[in-house]
Amino acid sequence: QVQLVESGGGLMQAGASLRLSCAASGRTFSSYAMGWFRQAPGREREFVAGITRGGSSTWYTDSAKGRFTISRDNAKNTVYLQMNSLKPEDTAVYYCAASTSVRPGARSTEYDFWGQGTQVTVSS
């Protein structure tokens, strides 16, 4: 099992960059594929990015491609989301999640463990 804690959110202006971190506890971090999701007010939780256990493969929702980068450092038990060229529509609570599947998809039900979330607000 793994516990996840997100950090790095904040209030940013459009066009700015922000790096989110998700720190995991436990010795089995490298056994999990990881993902980032976000949830805006009144919206369903939305997949943003995913990464395999060793970091060899990544995948993104269309709105994140070219702007966001997911990465992980298994030695530090941490997964990151680098967000560039932020837009107001990126405003949401961002969650990291862990999955026991080798390559989970975009559905939140494919992830087994979740962090508490970190707020990202982008002003125009």
Side-chain angles (χ1 to χ4, degrees):
Q1 196 164 0
V2 64
Q3 293 79 48
L4 308 172
V5 180
E6 302 96 333
S7 62
L11 175 62
M12 311 296 292
Q13 295 197 69
S17 296
L18 193 64
R19 184 178 175 89
L20 305 182
S21 298
C22 176
S25 62
R27 301 192 64 180
T28 58
F29 175 69
S30 62
S31 297
Y32 299 95
M34 300 294 296
W36 285 96
F37 289 75
R38 64 188 180 189
Q39 188 165 24
R43 303 289 183 87
E44 300 241 315
R45 190 165 297 187
E46 174 192 24
F47 171 80
V48 178
I51 188 167
T52 51
R53 291 174 294 177
S56 60
S57 182
T58 60
W59 55 101
Y60 302 87
T61 191
D62 285 344
S63 63
K65 291 178 181 176
R67 298 191 299 128
F68 293 4
T69 302
I70 186 172
S71 62
R72 68 191 297 164
D73 187 338
N74 286 349
K76 296 182 178 180
N77 279 197
T78 303
V79 62
Y80 305 94
L81 184 67
Q82 177 67 46
M83 304 186 292
N84 298 327
S85 301
L86 284 166
K87 304 175 180 179
E89 50 261 46
D90 296 319
T91 295
V93 176
Y94 283 72
Y95 300 88
C96 67
S99 176
T100 55
S101 297
V102 173
R103 207 280 198 185
R107 293 187 176 274
S108 60
T109 53
E110 298 179 58
Y111 293 78
D112 305 287
F113 308 103
W114 295 82
Q116 83 290 342
T118 185
Q119 175 71 230
V120 173
T121 302
V122 184
S123 64
S124 59

